[in-house]
């Protein structure tokens, strides 16, 4: 009887139970597969959070982008490199998590259900095989699920990278349009080397850093803001800089690198070169021009402010000289720095650069070639000292010798200065046929009391005739008319009274020169 029970009834009962169990196998295997898929998805999410947010060492497989290792000392925008790095890390860590989770699950089933001893193996082995089937199914089903999650992540990254590049390009285009509307399409004028600067370089605004950033425009290192290696943020566009937070730009040319005006790029620029021989009165005329603009601003005219500390310092000295009715010191022969000021307010603001160059440079071809600022000029000022013309001393009555100190005269012939200057300007490619010329007949304050000036000091045609008929400069005047689109003559007296009010002739002269 025992043999029947042992070898017939019990096996039959076991087989019957197995048959009944087989009906449950799909459900058990399916539930285990679902559990594995859920666990793999959860672990993938945990890896994603670790890679994108926590960024602790266990989630780093690729060294991060560091400003110290980059050409530019700034942090990259996330969608210009770091996003693809994170995606690669996610693939690597996701694969590791998949392999590790599946391996741990199979090892757990093996240890628990296949290592049992005795009669319990009769139940644990079939159940373990069922779990094996579920794990295999879950591992297979998890591949497309994780693939979809990774694919969606990659798609979002690609779209955002494309959007970031499109936005950066659009902002650059808008910025370029704004610059063109300000007539700065070819760049801004450096007041030191006189070259066009397409876009200035900027120093980090943090006083303890001062790293220089060559091109801060939207791109790899920031869309709206750039983050310096020190962590300081700075705007990427001129139009994003508020009036009170404008950064000082620097010339990007290798031979210069000096600071530009803070207002450079924020408004249209006007270049006004003063041409004339030594001691013709250029410096004094420039000081009188600024004083005249100050007088006009006090009377309700356009506001004026000096654009930089150096211009302000130089002007203070010249103003004091004019106020005491003294003579200004001759311009140094070194290359001039622009005397810059901002005229107007709001949308009418203009950054004006007045260049006062030593007269010697206009008679030496090698030195005039260095005056590159004339390329940007569309209005020129020629300062003509009538006392530098020989006919002034021989033709006029009464004889100037008896009433005027000849040592105050320029020692350079105006015709020689003009001819050499025009030749140099043409060589530099400046279209003189589209430019205007203001001829400032200087020192009329010294000559008016002795009848040695034109009959009308406020009329261009009268001044023109006086130069042609009385001083014999007909050829010079004709050359001016041929070279320039428009020529206007002004009798100027660069003097100020005790109330710091300059002569009215300067106001008329300045108004015409700054007219656009």
């Amino acid at each position: 009887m025992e043999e029947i029970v042992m070898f017939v009834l019990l096996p039959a009962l076991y087989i019957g139970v197995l048959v009944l169990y087989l009906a449950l196998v799909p459900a058990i295997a399916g539930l285990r597969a679902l559990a594995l898929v859920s666990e793999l998805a959860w672990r993938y999410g945990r890896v994603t959070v670790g890679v994108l947010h926590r960024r602790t060492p266990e989630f780093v497989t690729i060294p991060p982008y560091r400003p110290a290792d980059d050409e530019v000392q700034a942090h990259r925008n996330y969608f210009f490199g770091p996003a693809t790095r994170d995606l690669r890390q996610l693939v690597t860590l996701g694969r590791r998590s998949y392999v590790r989770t599946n391996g741990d699950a199979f090892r757990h089933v093996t240890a628990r259900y296949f290592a049992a001893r005795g009669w319990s193996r009769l139940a644990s082995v079939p159940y373990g095989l069922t779990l094996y089937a579920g794990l295999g199914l879950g591992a297979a089903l998890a591949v497309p699920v994780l693939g979809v999650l990774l694919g969606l992540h990659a798609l979002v990254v690609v779209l955002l990278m494309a959007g970031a590049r499109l936005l950066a390009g659009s902002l650059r285009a808008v910025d370029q349009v704004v610059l063109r509307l300000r007539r700065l399409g070819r760049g801004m004028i450096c007041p030191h080397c006189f070259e066009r600067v397409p876009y200035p370089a900027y120093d980090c605004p943090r006083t303890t850093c001062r790293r220089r950033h060559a091109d801060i425009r939207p791109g790899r290192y920031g869309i709206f803001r750039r983050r310096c290696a020190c962590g300081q943020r700075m705007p990427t566009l001129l139009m994003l800089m508020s009036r009170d937070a404008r950064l000082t730009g620097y010339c990007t040319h290798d031979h210069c690198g000096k600071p530009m005006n803070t207002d450079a790029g924020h408004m249209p620029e006007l270049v006004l070169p003063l041409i004339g021989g030594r001691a013709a009165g250029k410096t004094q005329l420039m000081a009188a021009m600024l004083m005249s603009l100050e007088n006009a601003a006090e009377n309700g005219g356009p506001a004026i402010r000096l654009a930089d500390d150096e211009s302000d310092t130089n002007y203070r000295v010249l103003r004091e000289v004019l106020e005491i009715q003294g003579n200004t010191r001759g311009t140094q022969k070194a290359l001039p720095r622009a005397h810059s000021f901002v005229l107007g307010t709001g949308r009418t603001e203009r950054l004006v650069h007045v260049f006062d160059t030593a007269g010697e440079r206009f008679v030496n071809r090698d030195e005039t070639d260095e005056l590159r600022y004339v390329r940007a000029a569309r209005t020129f000022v020629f300062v003509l000292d009538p006392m530098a013309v020989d006919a002034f001393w021989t033709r006029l009555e009464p004889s100037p010798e008896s009433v005027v100190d000849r040592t105050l005269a320029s020692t350079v012939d105006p015709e020689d200065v003009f001819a050499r200057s025009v030749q140099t300007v043409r060589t530099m490619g400046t279209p003189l046929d589209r430019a205007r010329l203001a001829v400032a007949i200087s020192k009329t304050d010294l000559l008016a009391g002795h009848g040695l000036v034109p009959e009308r000091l406020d009329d261009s045609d009268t001044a023109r005739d006086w130069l042609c008929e009385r001083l014999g400069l007909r050829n010079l005047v004709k050359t001016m008319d041929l070279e320039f689109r428009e020529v206007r003559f002004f009798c100027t007296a660069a003097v100020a009274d005790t109330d710091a009010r300059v002569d009215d002739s300067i106001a008329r002269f300045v108004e015409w020169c700054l007219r656009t």
Side-chain angles (χ1 to χ4, degrees):
M1 189 63 183
E2 292 179 357
E3 289 80 0
I4 295 174
V5 172
M6 177 67 68
F7 296 107
V8 176
L9 295 180
L10 287 179
L13 179 62
Y14 181 72
I15 292 173
V17 172
L18 285 179
V19 171
L20 294 174
Y21 175 73
L22 287 176
L24 300 175
V25 165
I28 296 173
L31 289 174
R32 187 65 185 94
L34 180 61
L36 180 62
V37 171
S38 300
E39 182 182 3
L40 288 171
W42 176 81
R43 291 189 180 278
Y44 177 84
R46 184 173 177 273
V47 169
T48 302
V49 172
V51 170
L52 301 182
H53 177 64
R54 293 177 61 187
R55 301 188 180 278
T56 47
E58 65 268 24
F59 296 107
V60 177
T61 62
I62 303 174
Y65 291 99
R66 301 182 186 278
D69 303 329
D70 219 333
E71 182 180 357
V72 178
Q73 298 295 294
H75 293 274
R76 289 197 183 198
N77 178 271
Y78 182 72
F79 297 108
F80 285 80
T84 56
R85 167 185 168 270
D86 285 350
L87 184 60
R88 290 164 58 197
Q89 290 188 129
L90 194 58
V91 171
T92 300
L93 293 174
R95 183 177 65 250
R96 292 178 183 175
S97 176
Y98 176 83
V99 172
R100 183 172 58 251
T101 302
N102 281 313
D104 291 345
F106 275 99
R107 281 190 292 270
H108 175 74
V109 171
T110 300
R112 184 169 183 179
Y113 299 105
F114 289 89
R117 297 178 180 180
W119 292 95
S120 62
R121 289 175 60 86
L122 295 175
S124 64
V125 169
Y127 186 69
L129 291 174
T130 303
L131 294 180
Y132 270 172
L135 291 176
L137 178 62
L141 292 176
V143 171
V145 172
L146 297 178
V148 169
L149 293 176
L150 184 63
L152 289 175
H153 183 94
L155 178 62
V156 170
V157 168
V158 169
L159 291 177
L160 290 177
M161 287 174 59
R165 283 158 174 76
L166 179 61
L167 179 59
S170 300
L171 288 174
R172 281 178 173 249
V174 171
D175 189 59
Q176 193 62 35
V177 169
V178 172
L179 289 177
R180 288 186 179 278
L181 292 175
R182 294 170 178 167
R183 299 189 292 277
L184 298 173
R186 294 192 299 119
M188 294 134 253
I189 297 294
C190 173
H192 297 278
C193 71
F194 322 128
E195 295 283 4
R196 288 278 189 181
V197 179
Y199 221 86
Y202 292 92
D203 283 354
C204 173
R206 179 171 290 179
T207 55
T208 57
C209 177
R210 291 302 183 187
R211 288 181 175 87
R212 184 159 297 178
H213 299 261
D215 188 353
I216 65 169
R217 286 177 291 182
R220 178 178 298 178
Y221 300 99
I223 305 297
F224 295 100
R225 290 286 186 271
R226 169 178 291 207
R227 189 158 64 100
C228 179
C230 70
Q232 178 68 37
R233 295 184 181 274
M234 52 197 299
T236 58
L237 292 170
L238 287 166
M239 61 184 181
L240 296 179
M241 298 181 190
S242 64
R243 181 178 296 275
D244 297 329
R246 288 177 180 173
L247 303 177
T248 299
Y250 290 83
C251 179
T252 56
H253 294 284
D254 294 336
H255 61 275
C256 183
K258 294 181 179 179
M260 301 177 64
N261 303 109
T262 305
D263 298 291
H266 296 278
M267 59 192 68
E269 294 185 2
L270 175 65
V271 174
L272 191 63
L274 302 185
I275 301 173
R278 179 176 176 80
K282 300 186 304 299
T283 303
Q284 199 150 346
L285 177 63
M286 181 192 66
M289 292 170 64
L290 294 176
M291 286 189 69
S292 175
L293 290 171
E294 280 191 341
N295 295 162
E298 292 171 359
N299 294 326
I304 179 175
R305 59 180 173 85
L306 278 300
D308 53 74
D309 293 338
E310 189 171 345
S311 295
D312 185 65
T313 301
N314 292 336
Y315 172 60
R316 288 179 184 276
V317 174
L318 295 175
R319 179 190 174 101
E320 291 178 2
V321 173
L322 282 184
E323 288 178 349
I324 64 174
Q325 299 184 0
N327 293 319
T328 58
R329 182 167 62 95
T331 306
Q332 299 302 300
K333 193 176 179 180
L335 276 174
R337 185 196 185 283
H339 298 269
S340 305
F341 60 90
V342 176
L343 187 65
T345 55
R347 294 185 178 181
T348 64
E349 281 186 324
R350 286 181 292 166
L351 179 58
V352 183
H353 302 288
V354 180
F355 288 91
D356 173 23
T357 307
E360 298 93 319
R361 286 190 172 271
F362 291 106
V363 294
N364 187 326
R365 173 61 186 274
D366 294 334
E367 294 179 339
T368 51
D369 285 345
E370 297 177 348
L371 307 180
R372 294 177 289 272
Y373 57 83
V374 298
R375 298 172 184 167
R378 292 299 176 264
T379 300
F380 292 80
V381 175
F382 183 68
V383 183
L384 192 157
D385 180 5
M387 295 191 294
V389 182
D390 290 337
F392 176 84
W393 303 98
T394 58
R395 290 190 180 186
L396 297 187
E397 294 292 341
S399 175
E401 295 279 4
S402 59
V403 294
V404 179
D405 184 0
R406 193 160 188 166
T407 61
L408 298 177
S410 173
T411 57
V412 185
D413 183 10
E415 293 190 79
D416 188 28
V417 173
F418 184 81
R420 290 178 181 270
S421 301
V422 166
Q423 183 180 4
T424 299
V425 172
R426 277 198 170 280
T427 302
M428 290 182 176
T430 304
L432 292 181
D433 55 345
R434 289 185 288 171
R436 303 185 306 153
L437 177 66
V439 181
I441 303 172
S442 62
K443 305 177 183 178
T444 56
D445 53 299
L446 299 176
L447 311 177
H450 307 291
L452 301 174
V453 293
E455 294 180 1
R456 291 186 57 187
L457 299 179
D458 59 349
D459 183 65
S460 175
D461 292 336
T462 302
R464 176 195 294 268
D465 293 340
W466 184 75
L467 292 175
C468 293
E469 305 299 334
R470 303 297 300 277
L471 297 190
L473 297 178
R474 187 178 300 277
N475 289 337
L476 175 61
V477 172
K478 286 185 177 180
T479 303
M480 291 175 176
D481 289 333
L482 290 173
E483 295 287 355
F484 289 86
R485 173 175 61 87
E486 182 180 1
V487 182
R488 186 68 63 88
F489 297 85
F490 299 88
C491 294
T492 60
V495 291
D497 58 23
T498 55
D499 296 326
R501 313 294 297 184
V502 297
D503 190 81
D504 291 340
S505 61
I506 302 297
R508 293 190 296 270
F509 166 72
V510 170
E511 181 183 1
W512 190 86
C513 289
L514 299 182
R515 192 175 66 200
T516 56

